[in-house]
Amino acid sequence: MSFDVLQEKIIRMKNPTVVGLDPKPEYVPEHIRKASYEQFGETFEGAADAIFQFNKGLIDALCDIVPAVKPQSAYYERLGWPGMSMLEKTIRYAHEKGMYVIADIKRGDIGSTAEAYADAWLGVTKVGEALCGGFNADCVTLNGYMGADSVNPFLKVAGERDKSVFILAKTSNPGSGELQDVKTADGRTVYQVMGALNESIAAGTEGKYGFTMAGAVTGATYPEQIRQLRADLPHTFFLVPGYGA
C-alpha cells in the first residue's frame, strides 16, 4: 500500500517532511537560467529546461535526507506543453533517486472526467493494444467537496496500482473557514464531515501502519482543528501544508 512505502521512508530517514517543487523561472539561479536561455531562447522551452536543471539539483541534494517531493502542477502548466513534459521528467527523475512523489493537482471532477484524470496521474491509458503510463505519481491531491463521486475513480486506480490520494479537509488558507468551518445540523463542521467521508470511503484499505489509501490535507495554520481531526480520523494519513517558509 502506497502510504506504507512513504511511512517506511519517513522512519528510515527520521524525517516526516515533503519538499514542494513549485518553480518559477525567476527562482532559478542565474547561471542555470543563462545556460538554458542560450540554448533554447527566452521561451517556454528555455524556462522549462532551466527549471528541470534546478529541480534535478534539488532532488540530488535532498534524496538522501527527505522522503518525498510535491510538485504543484500549476507552475508547470503555465509553461505550456514544455512545462508539462518537464513535470513528467521531474517525477521520473525523483523516482530514479528513490523519492516518493505527491502530484499536487487538486482535481475535483466527476464521472468519466475523474476517471481520465485518475488514469493520467496514477494509472495507464490504452492506446491500441498497448497500456501507456502517464505521469505515474505515487499520490495526488484531490478536492473532494463534490462528494465521493469525485474521489472514487482515483481510489479505484490507486487500489489497482498501489497508489494513494490526499483529499482536502481543513486547508491552510485564510478563507478556508468561510465554508469548511460552517456547522452542520449535527453540530460538526464541514471539514469534520469531509474528513469522516474520506475515512469511510477508503475503509478496508488500511496498510501495515494502519492508514487507508485516502489521506487528508490539514493545514498547519490551524493546529486546534488538526488536533480535532487527528482524534476523529485514526486511520488517515495527514499532509500538512503551511509548515515552514
Side-chain angles (χ1 to χ4, degrees), residues 155-171:
L155 294 183
K156 179 178 183 295
V157 175
E160 292 168 351
R161 298 186 59 80
D162 196 23
K163 311 275 181 136
S164 297
V165 304
F166 281 113
I167 305 168
L168 302 182
K170 176 58 180 174
T171 58

Side-chain angles (χ1 to χ4, degrees), residues 87-105:
L87 173 55
E88 189 276 331
K89 287 170 61 178
T90 294
I91 292 172
R92 186 157 24 102
Y93 189 75
H95 281 155
E96 289 171 4
K97 292 293 183 174
M99 301 190 85
Y100 188 93
V101 179
I102 302 165
D104 194 357
I105 61 173

Side-chain angles (χ1 to χ4, degrees), residues 170 191-192 219-231:
K170 176 58 180 174
Y191 70 79
Q192 286 178 291
T221 46
Y222 298 102
E224 291 302 319
Q225 288 86 339
I226 290 182
R227 292 188 183 96
Q228 179 64 58
L229 285 169
R230 182 73 286 162

Side-chain angles (χ1 to χ4, degrees), residues 4-238:
D4 287 347
V5 174
L6 177 56
Q7 183 74 338
E8 286 167 2
K9 290 180 185 293
I10 289 170
I11 292 168
R12 185 172 69 254
M13 294 182 175
K14 300 180 181 179
N15 186 349
T17 60
V18 54
V19 173
L21 297 178
D22 305 343
K24 293 182 179 179
E26 56 267 32
Y27 293 169
V28 177
E30 183 178 0
H31 71 281
I32 298 177
R33 287 202 314 270
K34 183 178 179 181
S36 295
Y37 292 169
E38 286 178 351
Q39 183 175 0
F40 298 102
E42 293 185 350
T43 62
F44 280 167
E45 289 85 351
D49 183 73
I51 289 171
F52 180 62
Q53 300 306 325
F54 189 39
N55 281 353
K56 283 179 64 179
L58 291 171
I59 291 167
D60 288 343
L62 295 166
C63 62
D64 292 334
I65 57 174
V66 175
V69 290
K70 182 173 68 67
Q72 164 50 255
S73 66
Y75 290 91
Y76 301 84
E77 292 172 27
R78 70 198 291 263
L79 298 180
W81 70 262
M84 296 307 290
S85 177
M86 182 261 295
L87 173 55
E88 189 276 331
K89 287 170 61 178
T90 294
I91 292 172
R92 186 157 24 102
Y93 189 75
H95 281 155
E96 289 171 4
K97 292 293 183 174
M99 301 190 85
Y100 188 93
V101 179
I102 302 165
D104 194 357
I105 61 173
K106 295 186 178 71
R107 299 299 193 259
D109 217 320
I110 58 174
S112 59
T113 305
E115 292 171 3
Y117 278 137
D119 289 342
W121 289 97
L122 298 176
V124 294
T125 297
K126 190 172 183 180
V127 181
E129 297 302 316
L131 294 175
C132 301
F135 290 95
N136 195 35
D138 298 296
C139 182
V140 294
T141 58
L142 302 175
N143 185 342
Y145 277 95
M146 285 183 73
D149 292 348
S150 63
V151 174
N152 284 331
F154 288 89
L155 294 183
K156 179 178 183 295
V157 175
E160 292 168 351
R161 298 186 59 80
D162 196 23
K163 311 275 181 136
S164 297
V165 304
F166 281 113
I167 305 168
L168 302 182
K170 176 58 180 174
T171 58
S172 60
N173 59 300
S176 66
E178 295 169 2
L179 172 64
Q180 296 165 17
D181 291 358
V182 172
K183 293 290 184 70
T184 63
D186 63 3
R188 294 183 297 169
T189 60
V190 169
Y191 70 79
Q192 286 178 291
V193 173
M194 189 71 241
L197 176 63
N198 292 2
E199 189 146 305
S200 67
I201 61 178
T205 66
E206 294 85 350
K208 175 181 176 182
Y209 296 95
F211 297 112
T212 73
M213 66 172 64
V217 178
T218 57
T221 46
Y222 298 102
E224 291 302 319
Q225 288 86 339
I226 290 182
R227 292 188 183 96
Q228 179 64 58
L229 285 169
R230 182 73 286 162
D232 291 346
L233 309 173
H235 302 293
T236 301
F237 204 103
F238 283 3

